[in-house]
Amino acid sequence: MESQIHRSSGSTPFTLQLTSDNEESDAPKDTLSVTESFARMIHDLQVSHLTDGVIQRSKRMILDTLGVGLLGTTTEVFHKTSQYSKIYSSNISSTVWGQSEFRLPPAFAAFVNGVAIHSMDFDDTWHPATHPSGVVLPVLTALSEALPQRPKFSGLDLLLAFNVGIEVQGRLLHFAKESTDIPKRFHPPSVVGTLGSAAAASKFLGLSLTKCQEALAIAVSQAGAPLANAATQTKPLHIGNAARHGTEAVFLAMLGLQGNKQILDLEAGFGAFYANYSPKVLPNLDSHTWLLDQQDVAFKRFPAHLATHWVADAATSVRRHLVTDGASLAVDHIQKIVLKIPKVQYVNRPFPDSEHEARHSFQYVACATLLDGDVTVLSFQKGQINRPQVRQLLKKVELEHPLDNLPSFNTLYCEISITLKDGVTFTERSNTFYGHWRKPLSQEDLQEKFRANASGTLPCDRVESLIKLIDKLENIEDCSILTTLLKGPYPPQEASKSL
């Protein structure tokens, strides 16, 4: 297989040419390193390896990711990053979701679409903790329309590359005990996601085994983001950068750039991100099982850190003791609100001042739920956050961290107790919220979430067409039709005015 990518750098054109299956180093070896085993998995996995379960779960992930990405194009952080990206140009370009006249080179289209996906913290979450889809899907939609390919990339090609990108992330996360907990030092999608996007692009473009290995090595040097930027406008860049840097790693590998061929084996390689990193050679594909078959993802019903969804669930239950027949919550009657949750410091924000802080605040989500009975996209607007009743309730919230409530998305719980001024206390607990992998969203509710998110950017007929297309994605001969449907109906300025 051969493919060429013609890009423009200033006035001097150059060609990326990739070859596969004919390099001497692609010959089978008796003993593989960890890095080689990852490259071989990326290179050798085929459509025939996909299972019905993986196809169905990944189509749900793709639909949800497109929806939150389209909604994310209405945000300030998307506007800023897309304006920045306009300084880049190329003789090939890809669609920016929801925009009719704004196109970018593939790596930068992947960047801004990735930013849009995470701009509200509304994208899917896996265990061990990461956001798997947002770093992969923008890469594949960008490449599917930008590159000359005969025959065209099919829906199955996209599904295979998507799942290779997801699989690489999951395999890497299983090499470190630290990764099973909610992160403390760095944002996981900025690390494993960068390698996942490189793996997906490598598979999609048919890179040789050797170049798959080089792409992983390059991607490691482009990975990482500190968690200190959580709850700021910079956090969405972690997803966008992972998508962009993974794409760039593949382009550089195609040009012959080389990295450490043992990058995933070494403590000074990928092990630099994890103190307890313990990598293992992947099993032969004859016994391959997809991690997505074993562990589904969580889909969020409102745009905030996943841990806050347990809080909203418990608060909804306890509110039934306090409010009846559509009456308002009697804030003055509440003496104290106690939340028993895991110790997750970056989601402990007693008095959030911005939408991004509110999305990462146990306290705010509890108070918004108690006041309104629900949390929605609109709950994180500045006017909602600064309501006098919200600020009054926030002063009453106390956090407790029971020793048995571990900071893991697989085991954590939230218990909320409301003590009234007359001494009466009501307590409710959530072990699993609706949308968690133990209690997955129905297909109907997932589609309704997509409609709600996409309908502000795309016309209704386009929204319905996307739902139908994703539902039969494995049967689509040319997956670039997906990006055709993702183009906005208006010029960018007019689209923003219409929302």
Side-chain angles (χ1 to χ4, degrees):
M1 170 185 172
E2 284 196 359
S3 177
Q4 291 185 334
I5 301 174
H6 301 278
R7 305 185 71 201
S8 174
S9 177
S11 60
T12 305
F14 64 89
T15 299
L16 296 179
Q17 180 170 329
L18 57 118
T19 60
S20 63
D21 303 323
N22 60 354
E23 298 182 21
E24 182 178 349
S25 58
D26 282 4
K29 297 181 180 180
D30 293 334
T31 303
L32 295 178
S33 69
V34 173
T35 311
E36 287 171 324
S37 73
F38 268 78
R40 189 165 294 280
M41 180 184 71
I42 295 166
H43 180 270
D44 290 354
L45 278 172
Q46 302 298 323
V47 165
S48 59
H49 288 98
L50 292 172
T51 66
D52 289 342
V54 161
I55 288 175
Q56 295 309 314
R57 284 181 173 177
S58 57
K59 288 194 299 185
R60 283 164 58 87
M61 294 161 72
I62 289 169
L63 183 69
D64 186 68
T65 303
L66 291 176
V68 299
L70 288 165
L71 178 65
T73 64
T74 67
T75 63
E76 185 178 359
V77 63
F78 171 81
H79 176 71
K80 289 177 178 178
T81 54
S82 60
Q83 288 297 111
Y84 153 74
S85 297
K86 287 180 179 179
I87 68 174
Y88 296 93
S89 63
S90 171
N91 63 334
I92 60 172
S93 61
S94 302
T95 295
V96 176
W97 299 354
Q99 315 296 304
S100 62
E101 298 181 351
F102 176 26
R103 297 174 64 85
L104 289 169
F108 283 91
F111 168 65
V112 297
N113 289 332
V115 169
I117 288 166
H118 199 60
S119 63
M120 293 186 177
D121 218 311
F122 211 178
D123 43 331
D124 58 23
T125 306
W126 211 12
H127 177 75
T130 196
H131 301 287
S133 299
V135 298
V136 172
L137 186 59
V139 174
L140 301 179
T141 60
L143 296 177
S144 70
E145 64 173 334
L147 306 184
Q149 173 77 8
R150 295 291 185 274
K152 292 289 188 179
F153 296 106
S154 70
L156 275 174
D157 291 331
L158 188 147
L159 283 166
L160 177 60
F162 179 85
N163 279 289
V164 166
I166 301 301
E167 184 77 4
V168 165
Q169 294 176 70
R171 295 283 177 175
L172 291 170
L173 286 166
H174 278 81
F175 289 163
K177 183 180 178 182
E178 174 187 353
S179 68
T180 61
D181 293 338
I182 298 173
K184 295 180 180 178
R185 297 183 296 115
F186 61 84
H187 197 203
S190 71
V191 176
V192 297
T194 305
L195 277 77
S197 69
S202 296
K203 186 63 190 177
F204 205 49
L205 299 181
L207 266 63
S208 68
L209 191 153
T210 298
K211 285 186 168 57
C212 288
Q213 190 171 348
E214 300 292 5
L216 292 174
I218 298 165
V220 171
S221 282
Q222 296 179 287
L227 206 57
N229 267 326
T232 73
Q233 285 189 334
T234 297
K235 188 187 178 194
L237 270 64
H238 300 172
I239 302 293
N241 280 332
R244 169 191 166 191
H245 290 156
T247 306
E248 291 175 339
V250 169
F251 287 164
L252 290 167
M254 290 162 63
L255 284 168
L257 191 72
Q258 297 179 354
N260 191 309
K261 291 178 172 53
Q262 309 298 313
I263 197 74
L264 302 184
D265 298 72
L266 301 174
E267 182 179 344
F270 190 80
F273 295 107
Y274 292 98
N276 55 0
Y277 182 63
S278 180
K280 296 178 178 60
V281 173
L282 299 181
N284 188 287
L285 288 188
D286 292 340
S287 58
H288 179 76
T289 56
W290 297 93
L291 293 178
L292 188 58
D293 252 338
Q294 304 168 38
Q295 175 67 68
D296 201 356
V297 299
F299 295 109
K300 299 177 180 179
R301 290 175 293 117
F302 59 87
H305 188 275
L306 192 71
T308 66
H309 286 62
W310 279 270
V311 173
D313 196 46
T316 298
S317 296
V318 81
R319 187 177 187 271
R320 299 188 185 106
H321 299 291
L322 307 173
V323 178
T324 57
D325 300 327
S328 300
L329 180 72
V331 174
D332 291 340
H333 292 173
I334 296 176
Q335 179 70 33
K336 182 172 63 174
I337 303 169
V338 177
L339 299 179
K340 293 183 178 180
I341 42 87
K343 190 172 184 179
V344 183
Q345 195 56 45
Y346 76 101
V347 196
N348 176 8
R349 300 182 187 273
F351 298 100
D353 290 324
S354 70
E355 64 164 293
H356 296 282
E357 289 186 355
R359 297 183 200 282
H360 294 76
S361 172
F362 287 125
Q363 295 92 333
Y364 176 75
V365 169
C367 293
T369 306
L370 290 172
L371 274 175
D372 303 325
D374 195 11
V375 183
T376 68
V377 170
L378 300 179
S379 299
F380 298 94
Q381 293 182 340
K382 190 78 171 177
Q384 295 294 102
I385 297 168
N386 289 330
R387 287 178 291 170
Q389 285 185 306
V390 169
R391 310 313 282 190
Q392 186 179 349
L393 272 180
L394 286 170
K395 296 176 182 178
K396 303 173 187 284
V397 179
E398 301 175 8
L399 301 188
E400 294 182 2
H401 308 297
L403 295 178
D404 69 334
N405 201 354
L406 302 177
S408 166
F409 291 140
N410 205 37
T411 60
L412 76 83
Y413 65 85
C414 173
E415 185 175 292
I416 181 170
S417 295
I418 308 289
T419 300
L420 304 181
K421 289 187 175 179
D422 62 7
V424 175
T425 298
F426 299 102
T427 300
E428 292 288 349
R429 172 169 165 154
S430 172
N431 293 316
T432 307
F433 65 87
Y434 181 48
H436 191 273
W437 46 83
R438 288 193 298 270
K439 193 184 291 187
L441 286 184
S442 68
Q443 187 67 10
E444 180 182 3
D445 285 343
L446 188 72
Q447 290 178 356
E448 283 305 308
K449 177 186 173 184
F450 176 78
R451 289 187 179 96
N453 286 338
S455 60
T457 303
L458 300 180
C460 291
D461 60 341
R462 196 90 60 83
V463 171
E464 295 305 316
S465 294
L466 279 165
I467 292 174
K468 292 176 182 177
L469 186 146
I470 299 300
D471 185 56
K472 59 178 181 180
L473 187 56
E474 66 270 36
N475 299 319
I476 300 299
E477 293 184 0
D478 179 2
C479 69
S480 66
I481 189 176
L482 183 60
T483 52
T484 300
L485 292 173
L486 289 169
K487 294 173 184 175
Y490 311 112
Q493 299 85 354
E494 293 301 316
S496 61
K497 291 177 184 178
S498 67
L499 298 171

